[in-house]
């Protein structure tokens, strides 16, 4: 919130005392949003709507419970100092705030590949990244989804605003990209919007190639990599598992994936577009990398009629397996040290490795012999790796043309209209799965109260049972003691049945989350189940103490 806006806000509710106004401004700033957080929302429609909601909340004291503190000061200003108000706010800071699901990310829509490659995190480093994120003060759970087209961090934040700030600073430190630049490209989504986004990603609706199937396997790998990793907790893990279910349903119940193209097939089609049609069958092809992406490139090259190619890889075993699958195709294996020799004899070079550094530098490519004029006179480099395998300056050479994942939009645009119609069918399925997940997640909010209420009842039952048994002496048989014990448990279970049912949210009844949480707070008050320090504040304090040791 800008300084002028804050001053206008205070003046509008009738505060003339400058010192009190300054302290109230501090309270609003402390509890709500900063100008930097508002400036970081991207231009997409959904993100823009979220930004408008936030601005409206700041402008209207009736829409924001935290701002009601300011509204009440008008009648109490003479008896309650601003300092006391600030203290009260600090004490309630976490008790009034529940944890939030957030996604802080960049993708091919918001961020060019030059920045995406700096933020990319290899799959092998995901567990370490989760541990580092959960070491931050306000992050309780985390997951990483990093592909050639996106790098998204999903977290459960104990404080929404502080969580965003900490993750953004971590991303900056990890990648070397300044925070200010990250804020220009990142997108932020909260709670249900974050869930829906992940379900759309898993379903292929947020992909460069609408409906592509590889992203579902990548979402599954997030779950596999997170197994046993502290920080890949119940909420995050549950969200990703529900996302996999949504992705499977969309592909099973709609035709969005029928004839769909992947990044790899789009790369092959792009190369065909850039080659003279007469040279399709004669162009010499080199594929660098035989992993998942490399294998898909080879598969689509074969589908397009390419029956001979050279494959460079660190080891031969993967290439041997590919040769076994495509027995009618001449696939020649070459080791990595032979890469430049192979490139000198190739007209089209596909690169798809996990290398952190470019494999083809300008100084190397400019020494390669020119290609035959029949294939256009330029050596084509189609680089679908992130980080990129081909140095960007290679495109400055007259003898080379370089294309990366951001250039694939030209290929996929032709089928986009048809796929958008199919995507509309998928949205209904996604909404159903989001509703199911939200009901499951909401039910977790009441679990601590359920446990505390049952423990409270059990303590009373056990105490009264002991009193009863001591008064009845030692003449009771085992069966009689068991009957009395069972009776006491039956009474407690029947008494608790009603309250427990009103704390559960399974998505099959008409109770709203607000009603269930209201029941939870009522039971906490009635039975004195609340602790002096909220769970959220206790977690944050514990994190801080650990880091100080």
């Amino acid at each position: 919130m800008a300084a002028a806006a804050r001053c206008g806000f205070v003046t509008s509710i009738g505060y003339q005392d400058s010192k009190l106004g300054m302290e109230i401004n501090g309270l609003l700033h402390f509890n709500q949003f900063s100008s930097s957080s508002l400036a970081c929302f991207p231009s997409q429609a959904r993100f823009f709507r979220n930004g408008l909601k936030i601005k409206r909340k700041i402008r209207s004291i009736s829409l924001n419970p935290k701002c009601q503190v300011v509204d009440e000061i008008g009648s109490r200003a003479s008896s309650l100092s601003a300092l006391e108000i600030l203290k009260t706010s600090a004490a309630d800071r976490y008790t009034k705030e529940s944890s939030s699901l957030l996604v802080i990310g960049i993708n091919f829509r918001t961020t060019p590949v030059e920045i995406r490659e700096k933020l990319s995190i290899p799959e092998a480093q995901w567990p370490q990244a989760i541990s580092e994120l959960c070491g931050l003060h306000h992050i309780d759970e985390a997951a990483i989804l990093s592909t050639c087209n996106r790098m998204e961090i999903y977290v459960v934040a104990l404080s929404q605003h502080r969580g965003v700030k900490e993750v953004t600073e971590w991303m900056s430190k990890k990648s070397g990209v300044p925070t200010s630049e990250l804020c220009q490209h990142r997108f932020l989504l909260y709670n249900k919007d974050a869930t829906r986004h992940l379900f759309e990603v898993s379903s292929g609706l947020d992909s460069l190639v609408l409906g592509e199937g590889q992203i579902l396997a990548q979402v599954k790998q997030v779950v596999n990599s997170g197994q046993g990793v502290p920080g890949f907790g119940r909420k995050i893990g549950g969200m990703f598992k529900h996302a996999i279910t949504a992705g499977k349903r969309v592909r099973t119940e709609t035709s969005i994936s029928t004839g769909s193209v992947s990044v790899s097939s789009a790369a092959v089609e792009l190369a065909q577009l850039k080659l003279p049609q007469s040279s399709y069958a004669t162009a010499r092809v080199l594929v660098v990398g035989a992993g998942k992406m490399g294998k898909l490139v080879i598969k689509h090259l074969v589908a397009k009629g390419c029956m001979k190619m050279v494959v460079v890889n660190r080891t031969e075993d993967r290439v041997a397996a590919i040769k076994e699958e495509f027995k009618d195709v001449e696939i020649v294996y070459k080791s990595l040290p032979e890469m430049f020799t192979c490139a000198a004899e190739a007209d089209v070079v596909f690169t798809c490795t996990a290398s952190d550094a470019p494999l083809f530098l300008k100084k190397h490519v400019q020494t390669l012999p020119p290609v035959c004029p029949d294939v256009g006179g330029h050596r084509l480099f189609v680089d679908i790796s992130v980080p990129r395998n081909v140095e960007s300056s290679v495109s400055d050479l007259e003898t080379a043309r370089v294309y990366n994942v951001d250039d694939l939009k030209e290929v996929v645009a032709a089928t986009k209209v048809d796929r958008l119609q199919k995507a509309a069918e998928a949205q209904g399925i996604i909404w159903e799965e989001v509703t199911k997940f939200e009901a499951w997640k909401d039910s977790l909010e009441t679990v601590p109260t359920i446990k505390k209420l049952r423990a409270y009842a059990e303590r009373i039952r056990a105490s009264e049972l002991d009193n009863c048994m001591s008064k009845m002496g030692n003449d009771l048989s085992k069966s009689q003691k068991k009957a009395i014990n069972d009776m006491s448990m039956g009474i407690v279970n029947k008494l608790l049945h009603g309250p427990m049912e009103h704390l559960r949210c399974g998505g099959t009844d008409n109770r709203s989350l607000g009603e269930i949480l209201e029941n939870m707070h009522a039971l906490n008050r009635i039975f004195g189940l609340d602790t002096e320090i909220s769970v959220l504040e206790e977690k944050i304090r514990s994190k801080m103490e650990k880091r100080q040791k």
Side-chain angles (χ1 to χ4, degrees):
M1 204 183 331
R6 289 203 303 272
C7 292
F9 187 91
V10 173
T11 303
S12 68
I13 49 180
Y15 287 100
Q16 305 299 322
D17 185 282
S18 60
K19 181 179 179 182
L20 181 60
M22 289 172 63
E23 291 181 350
I24 294 169
N25 283 338
L27 170 61
L28 290 173
H29 182 75
F30 183 77
N31 276 330
Q32 198 57 24
F33 303 96
S34 67
S35 58
S36 62
S37 67
L38 292 176
C40 293
F41 285 88
S43 58
Q44 282 94 338
R46 194 187 332 166
F47 309 148
F48 182 67
R49 286 198 300 271
N50 287 346
L52 285 178
K53 287 179 183 177
I54 291 171
K55 290 177 182 178
R56 287 182 189 131
K57 286 181 180 180
I58 293 172
R59 289 179 187 143
S60 174
I61 56 175
S62 63
L63 293 181
N64 191 338
K66 292 181 180 178
C67 290
Q68 289 175 4
V69 175
V70 181
D71 194 31
E72 295 168 3
I73 298 176
S75 60
R76 296 188 297 158
S78 59
S79 59
L80 188 63
S81 71
L83 183 59
E84 288 173 320
I85 296 167
L86 287 171
K87 287 180 178 178
T88 303
S89 174
D92 291 344
R93 191 162 70 250
Y94 296 110
T95 57
K96 290 184 179 179
E97 182 176 15
S98 61
S99 60
S100 300
L101 273 170
L102 315 174
V103 56
I104 302 106
I106 53 144
N107 60 27
F108 65 96
R109 291 192 179 93
T110 67
T111 314
V113 67
E114 292 83 1
I115 297 177
R116 294 204 308 272
E117 65 186 0
K118 294 178 183 178
L119 287 152
S120 175
I121 300 176
E123 185 181 309
Q125 296 178 19
W126 290 355
Q128 176 62 29
I130 290 172
S131 297
E132 291 178 9
L133 285 165
C134 291
L136 303 174
H137 290 331
H138 296 87
I139 304 302
D140 199 33
E141 299 180 25
I144 309 289
L145 177 59
S146 182
T147 72
C148 60
N149 282 325
R150 69 186 70 249
M151 204 291 279
E152 299 174 354
I153 298 177
Y154 294 82
V155 298
V156 173
L158 304 179
S159 167
Q160 187 170 285
H161 178 59
R162 291 169 181 80
V164 170
K165 182 176 183 292
E166 288 179 353
V167 173
T168 303
E169 289 173 350
W170 179 86
M171 291 170 70
S172 176
K173 182 179 179 182
K174 194 83 173 174
S175 64
V177 178
T179 303
S180 57
E181 190 171 358
L182 275 177
C183 286
Q184 294 173 17
H185 296 286
R186 77 179 182 188
F187 64 85
L188 306 173
L189 291 171
Y190 307 94
N191 297 314
K192 189 178 286 188
D193 285 339
T195 301
R196 188 180 187 114
H197 172 74
L198 178 59
F199 287 17
E200 289 174 349
V201 168
S202 184
S203 302
L205 303 190
D206 194 63
S207 297
L208 172 65
V209 184
L210 195 62
E212 63 107 350
Q214 192 176 3
I215 187 63
L216 179 58
Q218 292 164 330
V219 172
K220 289 179 181 177
Q221 194 53 42
V222 172
V223 176
N224 294 335
S225 299
Q227 296 299 321
V229 178
F232 189 77
R234 191 174 184 182
K235 284 185 180 179
I236 288 289
M239 181 168 67
F240 271 83
K241 288 173 184 176
H242 277 77
I244 293 169
T245 300
K248 288 179 178 178
R249 279 195 62 194
V250 166
R251 286 169 174 79
T252 302
E253 299 175 29
T254 74
S255 57
I256 194 168
S257 294
T258 303
S260 66
V261 291
S262 64
V263 169
S264 302
S265 65
V268 173
E269 290 186 27
L270 178 65
Q272 275 198 332
L273 285 175
K274 303 304 178 182
L275 284 171
Q277 190 170 357
S278 59
S279 66
Y280 283 178
T282 59
R284 299 169 296 174
V285 176
L286 168 64
V287 180
V288 182
K292 293 177 184 177
M293 297 288 280
K295 184 178 178 179
L296 285 172
V297 167
I298 294 169
K299 174 184 175 181
H300 292 295
L301 282 169
V302 173
K304 294 293 185 181
C306 180
M307 304 305 290
K308 181 179 180 180
M309 66 193 76
V310 177
V311 180
V312 169
N313 198 52
R314 291 184 184 277
T315 57
E316 189 175 1
D317 53 347
R318 286 186 176 179
V319 180
I322 294 171
K323 289 169 69 174
E324 189 65 25
E325 186 174 343
F326 302 102
K327 292 182 179 179
D328 297 334
V329 181
E330 185 180 347
I331 299 175
V332 180
Y333 164 74
K334 294 293 183 181
S335 63
L336 199 58
E338 300 175 275
M339 182 178 68
F340 290 110
T341 302
C342 297
E345 299 172 357
D347 302 313
V348 183
V349 180
F350 293 92
T351 61
C352 34
T353 79
S355 173
D356 292 333
L359 301 178
F360 289 94
L361 304 178
K362 181 179 180 181
K363 63 181 180 181
H364 298 142
V365 175
Q366 65 186 3
T367 64
L368 298 177
V371 299
C372 177
D374 292 343
V375 293
H378 306 102
R379 182 173 281 104
L380 298 184
F381 289 88
V382 184
D383 183 7
I384 56 174
S385 302
V386 178
R388 289 171 293 176
N389 290 167
V390 182
E391 191 176 42
S392 58
S393 59
V394 171
S395 59
D396 297 335
L397 299 173
E398 288 293 330
T399 57
R401 293 290 183 269
V402 181
Y403 303 94
N404 57 50
V405 288
D406 285 355
D407 298 311
L408 300 181
K409 296 172 185 176
E410 177 184 350
V411 175
V412 302
T415 61
K416 190 170 184 179
V417 174
D418 181 51
R419 293 182 186 284
L420 284 174
Q421 294 175 348
K422 295 174 181 177
E425 302 172 21
Q427 288 294 347
I429 296 172
I430 289 173
W431 179 248
E432 287 178 18
E433 292 300 326
V434 168
T435 302
K436 289 178 183 177
F437 170 74
E438 288 295 315
W440 173 83
K441 178 173 68 71
D442 292 341
S443 69
L444 298 181
E445 298 292 329
T446 62
V447 169
T449 297
I450 290 173
K451 289 181 177 179
K452 286 188 288 185
L453 181 58
R454 182 161 288 282
Y456 173 81
E458 176 57 26
R459 285 195 301 271
I460 294 174
R461 185 196 72 84
S463 175
E464 292 302 313
L465 181 64
D466 286 343
N467 290 337
C468 176
M469 291 296 190
S470 64
K471 291 176 182 178
M472 299 182 74
N474 299 321
D475 297 334
L476 294 175
S477 65
K478 287 185 178 180
S479 61
Q480 289 173 323
K481 289 180 180 179
K482 184 178 183 303
I484 296 171
N485 181 71
D486 291 347
M487 180 186 69
S488 68
M489 291 185 68
I491 292 171
V492 168
N493 288 336
K494 286 181 179 179
L495 286 173
L496 289 180
H497 178 73
M500 293 297 188
E501 283 300 303
H502 282 77
L503 288 178
R504 293 191 175 99
C505 178
T508 57
D509 50 43
N510 295 322
R511 286 194 300 274
S512 66
L513 173 60
E515 181 183 347
I516 290 169
L517 293 180
E518 189 176 321
N519 293 336
M520 179 185 75
H521 293 310
L523 286 170
N524 278 327
R525 289 193 305 270
I526 291 168
F527 292 99
L529 303 177
D530 281 328
T531 55
E532 291 183 3
I533 302 176
S534 72
V535 174
L536 296 181
E537 190 171 8
E538 197 170 49
K539 284 183 178 180
I540 295 168
R541 183 175 295 176
S542 175
K543 282 173 175 274
M544 291 180 174
E545 288 174 353
K546 285 181 180 178
R547 295 189 70 172
Q548 288 171 357
K549 291 180 180 178

